[in-house]
Amino acid sequence: MTVTSPEFLARLVDDARADGVTGFVAAAVVTDADRVLLVRRNPGDFMGGMWEVPSGKVEDGETVLEALHRETAEETGLTIETVSGYIGHFDYSNSRGGTTRQFNFAVTVEKTELIVLTEHDAYQWAFLGELPEVSEAVRHLIAP
């Protein structure tokens, strides 16, 4: 079963619901050689100033895979070419007091530039050994 199959994606959501998770986020881990794309949350946002991988909420009626493609394009202007793997998930408390599960996927994009930010105030291609301020969950996700 591939990571893009409807069965695999449905199982991810079913398992999260069984764990009491109420919100779902799809995240793209975009790499270029030995660097990873990080975007910084706007200062006034929830967890403002924190660096993260491009990610966003799975909307009602949308699959995790659809959200992954949409959010990556909306937040960075990049188009996902291939979803090459499922890296895992982590849970966090969201701004509404519930629990959100972030599903993380390794992706390749058609082109690594030009990054067009719409929801963040900065981006960087960070070397894995020299990460800026990211959450422990993101650090464990992307650090070697």
Side-chain angles (χ1 to χ4, degrees):
M1 183 178 329
T2 68
V3 299
T4 58
S5 74
E7 298 82 12
F8 178 81
L9 297 167
R11 191 174 77 229
L12 291 178
V13 172
D14 290 345
D15 289 349
R17 285 193 175 119
D19 291 343
V21 173
T22 57
F24 309 105
V25 166
V29 178
V30 183
T31 55
D32 181 24
D34 54 350
R35 302 177 306 159
V36 63
L37 177 62
L38 297 174
V39 291
R40 187 174 62 196
R41 298 182 71 87
N42 286 315
D45 287 353
F46 178 66
M47 294 177 15
M50 186 71 69
W51 290 89
E52 62 186 359
V53 295
S55 59
K57 181 180 179 205
V58 179
E59 301 291 345
D60 290 337
E62 186 177 48
T63 68
V64 171
L65 193 60
E66 290 167 341
L68 179 69
H69 284 266
R70 178 185 54 76
E71 286 288 348
T72 302
E74 284 178 7
E75 291 192 357
T76 66
L78 301 176
T79 300
I80 293 176
E81 187 172 63
T82 307
V83 179
S84 56
Y86 177 65
I87 300 174
H89 71 267
F90 57 82
D91 297 345
Y92 61 91
S93 296
N94 61 42
S95 61
R96 297 168 306 286
T99 300
T100 295
R101 178 159 295 171
Q102 180 168 312
F103 303 110
N104 302 284
F105 295 87
V107 304
T108 56
V109 292
E110 291 177 1
K111 293 184 261 179
T112 56
E113 298 292 341
L114 176 72
I115 307 292
V116 178
L117 298 176
T118 58
E119 299 178 19
H120 298 85
D121 69 348
Y123 79 91
Q124 69 174 283
W125 288 98
F127 289 101
L128 296 178
E130 302 171 10
L131 296 175
E133 183 182 351
V134 296
S135 68
E136 279 304 306
V138 169
R139 184 172 305 284
H140 288 297
L141 177 74
I142 61 178

